[in-house]
Amino acid sequence: MITRLLVANRGEIARRVFRTCGSLGISTVAVFSDPDADAPHVAEADLAVRLPGARPSDTYLHIGRILDACRASGADAVHPGYGFLSENAEFGRAVLDAGLVWVGPPPEAIAAMGSKVAAKRLMAQAGVPVLPSLDPEAPGEFPVLVKASAGGGGRGMRIVRGAGELAREVESARRESAAAFGDGTVFVEPLLENARHVEVQVLADRHGTVWTLGERECSVQRRHQKVVEECPSPGISAELRERLCEAAVRAAREIGYVGAGTVEFLVKGDRVAFLEMNTRLQVEHPVTELVYGVDLVRLQLEVAEGAALPATPPEPAGHAVEVRLYAEDGDYLPQSGVLRRFEVSGEVRVDSGVESGSVISPYYDPMLAKVIAYGRVRAEAVRKLVTALRRAKLHGVTTNRDLLVKILTNPAFGAGDTHTGFLAPDGPLHDVSRDASRDPSCEGTCDGADDLPVLAAALAMAAANRRRAKVLTGLPNGWRNVRSQPRRARFEEAEVVYDPLPQGVTVISAEPYEVILERDGVRHTFEVARYGEDGQIYVDHVGGCAELTPLPRLPEPVEHVAPGSLLAPMPGSVLRVEVEPGDRVTKGQAVLVLEAMKMEHRIAAPSDGVVADVHVEKGRQVEAGAVLAIIQEETS
């Protein structure tokens, strides 16, 4: 029996495993890097062991330090979570060799699927349908997909549409794969565009029983990383589901699999092609848990202890949808900083690695939480999820909350018409004629740029100023003996006159932290938060949140950057500089590449021009906003 479990991971998955351990009476051990010293998963564990350093290679990817933490804490078992060392056969063997219980599949099974190149050959031999592998130097057809053999999560993946970009993209994928997984091997296969990404949850014990717990739809992705997942898939027939599950069982039996794992497929029409097998628990496992009424972490632990599964799995009921809430901007660039407020409530499950006050580090994946809703039917689950996201209070860092709401309220998504090109520029999400992200039931409050949230911010600021007054405290807010002009508030995003009030608007109450307005007989409540006298203002309301930046009445002189300056969009390390002063560049051409949060980010020229200066060199750490290079725009 397991008595003390160390989770060799961080954040949300560590907390998720700890929650099940608590219900089973298993003592828990956290490990943490220096940036994670104050993270919630550290506080929630019974014991915690520091892994000195910040970079994953020195901490969560360091096998020796993880095993030292097991010895120091007296742990008798290890759960790898997902990511980091979870699919590292060497780590699994090291845990077993140390006499500990390994809550994962046999190292031999991990090794069999650890190389996607070898795994495809193995699956083909087992009768599982696969896509052909192509020559990385001369694939012979386009478009193709370059993929890292050793990993997943979108890292080391590139779409190539022509021979001219092949060599560059293959090299880039190799570098990113080597940095993320320690293995730069890549392979190339045909790109099956606008297919569904569907995966089957498997669970196997040591006694020969292999379960499948239905399928999950994971087609809505950005940068080849999943954003929305659901169970069951809205586009899979009963006959196709049976084919997928049979193929997943063949895959698991072929490698002697034990524990929880996922077999992933591309599906287009009746065509099915094996993608990979993830020999671990998946990020999106909660949707399966809600539909099948199981605790997959508990089943993992029981299987690791030698228990036998029942002969057949439970039957599914209902529908579950999960979204991944990321700290990222509209261009999918990761964000870091202090998460001032994090509150997500409603009829949803929230699996998070953060809380109010958490620091979002540039060293790790920017996922803040998974928000999951369950309903008797799909539409009910989606509605619950949209409501919870709109009412969530997310202050301090930019998130993808608005994108998630837009996806969930898009008619194509509502119809189940999802595929891997859903978020592409020419995909359903960007078809303006089909956009229904604005909910008519909250007209006047759903858009963060609407006048009512801005008006509420202005009234809250005025109320706060009045409350701070040292003299004449009995005078009404904004009183003037002789009024010369309307009172207005200016923000970077908008400007509003709040005295006199806009026609048809009545102030019911206006306090520094809450404003209630009535317009055309409808009352609207706005919760207002401000961080520092000159800081950002967040106005939360029924339709979402307006983020506003007050403009000072008498602004201080600011340091201006030279025209044409390329600024770092995030903290990171300069991986490569591709130009020199004097080089001519075209709009969209890569000027340099930053590495941040385990991904490569190309910084491109904003226009045709000449490189006037380069301010950085390879290997340099830069802060967000740092000037990287200056492009002198060509004028005709």
Side-chain angles (χ1 to χ4, degrees):
M1 296 289 287
I2 296 170
T3 59
R4 178 168 293 170
L5 178 77
L6 182 144
V7 177
N9 218 292
R10 64 181 297 276
E12 170 266 325
I13 184 55
R15 299 179 83 188
R16 165 69 188 90
V17 176
F18 293 161
R19 188 165 66 245
T20 291
C21 287
S23 69
L24 296 175
I26 298 174
S27 176
T28 56
V29 181
V31 290
F32 63 93
S33 65
D34 291 339
D36 280 342
D38 297 320
H41 80 276
V42 179
E44 291 177 6
D46 296 318
L47 300 170
V49 181
R50 176 183 174 232
L51 304 175
R55 295 185 176 278
S57 58
D58 299 326
T59 55
Y60 301 107
L61 287 171
H62 198 293
I63 294 175
R65 288 181 176 175
I66 298 289
L67 293 178
D68 287 344
C70 291
R71 287 186 282 269
S73 63
D76 57 8
V78 174
H79 191 299
Y82 41 69
F84 294 128
L85 293 169
S86 62
E87 294 181 276
N88 187 304
E90 179 187 353
F91 180 49
R93 291 190 189 99
V95 170
L96 292 170
D97 290 345
L100 306 173
V101 176
W102 168 244
V103 186
E108 295 76 18
I110 298 175
M113 291 297 180
S115 164
K116 291 184 175 64
V117 174
K120 286 181 66 173
R121 288 196 295 264
L122 191 62
M123 291 299 97
Q125 294 169 10
V128 178
V130 300
L131 289 173
S133 292
L134 307 174
D135 183 351
E137 307 302 327
E141 63 176 274
F142 291 96
V144 298
L145 186 63
V146 181
K147 301 176 68 174
S149 179
R155 294 172 179 87
M157 292 181 68
R158 301 287 188 276
I159 292 175
V160 182
R161 299 193 178 276
E165 57 187 281
L166 179 64
R168 183 189 68 195
E169 296 294 358
V170 167
E171 183 58 31
S172 177
R174 283 173 174 156
R175 280 194 311 272
E176 192 169 87
S177 177
F181 313 115
D183 184 345
T185 304
V186 300
F187 65 101
V188 175
E189 63 186 18
L191 177 64
L192 199 59
E193 293 196 272
N194 295 338
R196 290 183 183 271
H197 185 144
V198 180
E199 60 188 29
V200 176
Q201 176 70 56
V202 298
L203 190 71
D205 62 22
R206 300 176 186 172
H207 309 281
T209 299
V210 179
W211 280 3
T212 58
L213 294 168
E215 85 288 346
R216 297 186 286 254
E217 170 90 28
C218 309
S219 297
V220 181
Q221 305 174 4
R222 93 282 187 267
R223 297 188 60 147
H224 310 296
Q225 291 181 311
K226 301 163 187 172
V227 179
V228 181
E229 299 106 344
E230 56 184 307
C231 177
S233 167
I236 298 298
S237 66
E239 183 273 333
L240 191 52
R241 178 175 296 114
E242 185 175 352
R243 284 173 56 197
L244 290 168
C245 290
E246 287 177 354
V249 169
R250 286 199 298 272
R253 291 195 184 282
E254 178 69 19
I255 61 173
Y257 200 78
V258 174
T262 303
V263 185
E264 302 197 353
F265 301 90
L266 282 179
V267 178
K268 190 165 186 178
D270 291 331
R271 184 179 183 183
V272 172
F274 170 82
L275 273 177
E276 62 183 348
M277 183 172 186
N278 291 297
T279 52
R280 54 171 169 81
L281 195 66
Q282 287 280 83
V283 176
E284 56 271 23
H285 74 272
V287 293
T288 298
E289 292 185 321
L290 292 175
V291 169
Y292 281 83
V294 296
D295 180 337
L296 286 171
V297 173
R298 178 174 185 147
L299 290 169
Q300 279 187 298
L301 295 169
E302 291 175 350
V303 166
E305 290 178 325
L309 295 170
T312 57
E315 291 295 318
H319 201 102
V321 184
E322 169 183 299
V323 294
R324 301 190 190 189
L325 187 63
Y326 285 101
E328 65 182 23
D329 66 11
D331 294 320
Y332 310 137
L333 294 176
Q335 305 292 294
S336 59
V338 178
L339 184 61
R340 302 281 189 177
R341 190 172 186 182
F342 177 79
E343 294 178 17
V344 184
S345 58
E347 292 295 317
V348 291
R349 166 176 163 178
V350 181
D351 286 11
S352 73
V354 298
E355 57 190 15
S356 296
S358 290
V359 176
I360 309 306
S361 164
Y363 293 103
Y364 312 115
D365 187 272
M367 189 175 77
L368 303 177
K370 304 175 311 195
V371 186
I372 314 103
Y374 173 83
R376 292 168 297 174
V377 295
R378 183 174 185 261
E380 179 185 335
V382 171
R383 183 176 60 198
K384 289 179 180 179
L385 199 48
V386 169
T387 298
L389 288 170
R390 279 183 168 152
R391 295 179 178 176
K393 296 176 175 61
L394 308 169
H395 302 171
V397 297
T398 302
T399 73
N400 67 333
R401 183 252 303 272
D402 291 346
L403 171 67
L404 297 175
V405 171
K406 190 173 183 181
I407 292 168
L408 295 172
T409 56
N410 183 272
F413 182 87
D417 183 17
T418 57
H419 51 73
T420 54
F422 193 87
L423 296 183
D426 58 349
L429 189 71
H430 302 288
D431 183 349
V432 177
S433 66
R434 304 175 71 182
D435 184 12
S437 60
R438 186 178 176 89
D439 185 349
S441 69
C442 54
E443 184 67 32
T445 63
C446 289
D447 186 349
D450 185 78
D451 60 336
L452 280 190
V454 181
L455 178 60
L459 292 168
M461 287 174 58
N465 291 339
R466 184 72 259 170
R467 184 167 292 184
R468 288 194 298 268
K470 302 296 184 183
V471 296
L472 302 176
T473 56
L475 290 179
N477 184 25
W479 184 85
R480 294 289 187 277
N481 189 30
V482 178
R483 176 171 298 186
S484 62
Q485 58 184 314
R487 299 179 65 205
R488 65 183 68 239
R490 294 182 175 89
F491 306 92
E492 285 187 10
E493 299 79 7
E495 179 178 320
V496 65
V497 172
Y498 62 95
D499 186 8
L501 290 167
Q503 186 174 2
V505 176
T506 302
V507 178
I508 304 303
S509 65
E511 300 295 333
Y513 304 109
E514 184 184 75
V515 175
I516 301 176
L517 303 175
E518 183 174 288
R519 181 166 65 183
D520 300 330
V522 179
R523 288 193 177 185
H524 305 266
T525 300
F526 301 90
E527 188 172 336
V528 183
R530 188 174 186 180
Y531 300 96
E533 288 189 17
D534 301 317
Q536 294 291 104
I537 294 179
Y538 296 86
V539 185
D540 292 295
H541 52 99
V542 68
C545 178
E547 182 179 346
L548 301 167
T549 308
L551 293 176
R553 292 178 61 191
L554 300 172
E556 295 290 333
V558 296
E559 181 179 343
H560 292 280
V561 297
S565 295
L566 293 182
L567 306 181
M570 74 208 83
S573 175
V574 178
L575 189 64
R576 190 170 69 259
V577 178
E578 298 197 342
V579 298
E580 295 180 354
D583 286 355
R584 306 187 77 82
V585 294
T586 57
K587 183 179 179 180
Q589 179 180 336
V591 174
L592 53 84
V593 178
L594 284 182
E595 183 181 41
M597 294 185 178
K598 302 187 287 183
M599 298 284 284
E600 289 190 11
H601 305 275
R602 276 196 193 134
I603 309 300
S607 62
D608 295 350
V610 176
V611 180
D613 201 359
V614 177
H615 287 213
V616 295
E617 63 281 335
K618 180 179 178 181
R620 178 173 168 182
Q621 288 290 132
V622 296
E623 295 299 320
V627 177
L628 304 173
I630 298 174
I631 308 296
Q632 184 176 341
E633 186 175 351
E634 287 187 327
T635 56
S636 55

